[in-house]
């Protein structure tokens, strides 16, 4: 009868040990990795800056070159 009691006690201790390990490690199984941080610049602000510079260059060139080829204007003639 004594061997049955010690076997039951060993089984109970082993079951308790594995139950504790299971309950400690089970939240780690479902844990998802943290999402990656958002990029600081997705490129649209760079594209917009380039577009503004090109529009400014086009505007300056238009107003500098246009009076030179217009025959009715005399901006540079005195």
């Amino acid at each position: 009868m004594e061997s049955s009691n010690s076997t039951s006690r060993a089984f109970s201790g082993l079951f308790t040990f594995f139950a504790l390990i299971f309950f400690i490690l089970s939240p780690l199984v479902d844990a998802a990795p943290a999402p990656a941080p958002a990029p600081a610049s997705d490129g649209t602000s760079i594209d917009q800056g380039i577009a503004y510079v090109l529009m400014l260059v086009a505007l300056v060139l238009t107003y500098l070159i246009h009076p030179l080829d217009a025959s009715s204007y005399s901006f540079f003639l005195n």
Side-chain angles (χ1 to χ4, degrees):
M1 184 132 176
E2 180 119 0
S3 68
S4 168
N5 192 11
S6 65
T7 305
S8 175
R9 187 178 285 179
F11 178 74
S12 176
L14 192 62
F15 178 76
T16 305
F17 175 74
F18 281 117
L20 283 174
I21 295 297
F22 175 76
F23 285 123
I24 290 171
L25 296 179
S26 64
L28 299 177
V29 172
D30 195 32
S41 173
D42 58 354
T44 56
S45 59
I46 296 171
D47 291 343
Q48 190 174 9
I50 292 171
Y52 278 132
V53 168
L54 290 176
M55 286 181 2
L56 183 63
V57 168
L59 184 67
V60 167
L61 287 177
T62 299
Y63 284 108
L64 285 179
I65 294 174
H66 183 69
L68 294 178
D69 64 351
S71 61
S72 61
Y73 296 110
S74 60
F75 288 122
F76 298 107
L77 298 175
N78 274 337

